[in-house]
Amino acid sequence: MTDLESCLATIIEVFHKYSEKEGDKHKLKKSELKELLTHELPSLTEHVKDQATMDSLMESLDADGDSECDFQEFMTFVTMVTICCHEFFEHHEDE
């Protein structure tokens, strides 16, 4: 498997690791999303100090308004974070 193929497989595995914990195994409940972010993106979530910010993130990801985050909504989030990281490293590569 190539590096990119491994990364794609890992993203899918991580999503299902958390989505299968309760309820619909193809969607993340708010608690599952919070747990995923806390364990899988600790550098990002350590800057989130209040529940309102987490609630706001969930609302912004929940494009269909079902109070859960499906894989497509999750991938939108992953894409946005990846773009932000790329831009950050692009602007700081000379430092």
Side-chain angles (χ1 to χ4, degrees), residues 7-70:
C7 290
L8 294 173
T10 299
I11 290 170
I12 294 166
E13 289 169 9
V14 167
F15 177 84
H16 287 290
K17 174 181 172 182
Y18 292 92
S19 69
E20 294 176 344
K21 291 189 174 206
E22 54 185 90
D24 187 337
K25 67 180 185 174
H26 300 289
K27 295 182 178 185
L28 293 164
K29 292 180 180 260
K30 189 185 298 185
S31 60
E32 293 168 328
L33 177 62
K34 183 177 180 179
E35 185 179 358
L36 183 154
L37 295 175
T38 301
H39 290 94
E40 304 296 336
L41 292 172
S43 298
L44 177 70
T45 56
E46 72 184 14
H47 299 290
V48 177
K49 302 296 183 203
D50 59 12
Q51 185 60 41
T53 302
M54 280 298 227
D55 291 343
S56 177
L57 172 61
M58 181 66 179
E59 281 181 32
S60 66
L61 293 177
D62 186 20
D64 61 7
D66 67 353
S67 298
E68 294 180 314
C69 180
D70 64 25

